[in-house]
Amino acid sequence: KVNCVQFNEESTVIVSGSIDTSVRCWDCRSRTSEPIQILNEAKDGISSVKVSDHEILSGSVDGRIRRYDLRMGQLFADFIGSPITSVCFSKDSQCTLISSLDSTLRLLDKETGELLGEYTGHRNTDCKLDCCFNESDTHVVSGSEDGLVYFWDLIEGSCTLTLPVGKGVVQSLSYHPTQCCLLTATEDTVQLWGDDSEEATTQTPS
């Protein structure tokens, strides 16, 4: 079972994370169905992967994040202690944001693993939920099992906004890379939120 997939920045390689504890890299230009690389250091299923120009960041149910520096051939790992649901890089590539099943987001220095901040108030104890940074790296954002999206000030750690999305779990979200624009997904609805309108644009898949 594959839990997550990402393209690299050139869209030439697909990186997948699966329940068999492996991160696999696939060459989009190749006709073979075999992966070009398998990273299998995790001790439990891979829940989230993100890719930068030369790094792969993975989160696992074993409570560890692993950062693979493909250019240097090195692996860096940090122990969170709770099953991880989502990982991401900050846009300046200096930090990583980690979401886990103890209803806590953690901001880590990418190079040292130092804990820079914690963000709480949302509910995440059962489901795989996404987290991300906003378009300017000033806030961190997370879905929640109470139907809200939470925004925290990156530096102060205070909750600045709760966005009522619906009654169900807000499992997936994605921030526009340059604009104040957020996509959210619940069980059967995708919504687009922007700062220039009070109501979201809603799409319900058929």
Side-chain angles (χ1 to χ4, degrees):
K1 178 183 177 182
V2 177
N3 285 330
C4 45
V5 291
Q6 284 274 303
F7 277 110
N8 69 339
E9 290 191 346
E10 293 79 25
S11 299
T12 56
V13 175
I14 297 171
V15 178
S16 66
S18 61
I19 201 170
D20 69 357
T21 76
S22 72
V23 174
R24 297 174 183 244
C25 303
W26 314 81
D27 188 347
C28 298
R29 299 161 296 186
S30 173
R31 294 178 180 269
T32 179
S33 60
E34 296 299 317
I36 57 175
Q37 190 170 16
I38 300 176
L39 309 170
N40 54 10
E41 286 76 16
K43 306 303 181 186
D44 209 328
I46 304 297
S47 57
S48 180
V49 293
K50 290 294 185 292
V51 184
S52 71
D53 59 346
H54 65 281
E55 294 177 312
I56 297 174
L57 183 67
S58 72
S60 172
V61 180
D62 68 10
R64 292 186 183 273
I65 62 166
R66 294 173 175 86
R67 179 170 59 89
Y68 299 89
D69 188 322
L70 303 179
R71 186 177 297 164
M72 303 297 293
Q74 294 179 314
L75 167 63
F76 305 90
D78 289 294
F79 183 60
I80 300 300
S82 180
I84 294 168
T85 65
S86 182
V87 297
C88 65
F89 292 107
S90 60
K91 291 178 176 56
D92 64 8
S93 298
Q94 301 300 306
C95 301
T96 57
L97 184 65
I98 317 300
S99 174
S100 54
L101 286 181
D102 57 357
S103 298
T104 303
L105 273 68
R106 294 172 175 86
L107 181 71
L108 304 183
D109 182 283
K110 189 186 77 170
E111 297 298 332
T112 67
E114 178 186 357
L115 179 64
L116 302 176
E118 291 189 346
Y119 311 92
T120 59
H122 66 305
R123 190 166 76 234
N124 186 192
T125 58
D126 298 309
C127 300
K128 180 183 181 299
L129 305 183
D130 283 345
C131 65
C132 65
F133 294 88
N134 71 335
E135 85 285 0
S136 54
D137 273 354
T138 60
H139 290 76
V140 300
V141 189
S142 176
S144 179
E145 293 167 8
D146 58 10
L148 303 173
V149 170
Y150 286 73
F151 291 73
W152 294 268
D153 184 277
L154 178 75
I155 302 301
E156 296 181 359
S158 56
C159 182
T160 60
L161 175 68
T162 55
L163 187 66
V165 173
K167 295 181 179 179
V169 177
V170 186
Q171 290 186 305
S172 186
L173 49 80
S174 178
Y175 225 98
H176 192 282
T178 60
Q179 301 177 21
C180 186
C181 186
L182 176 68
L183 277 172
T184 61
T186 54
E187 183 177 8
D188 60 358
T189 304
V190 176
Q191 293 175 294
L192 175 63
W193 305 82
D195 63 354
D196 57 349
S197 64
E198 294 184 357
E199 297 195 5
T201 301
T202 302
Q203 298 289 333
T204 302
S206 57

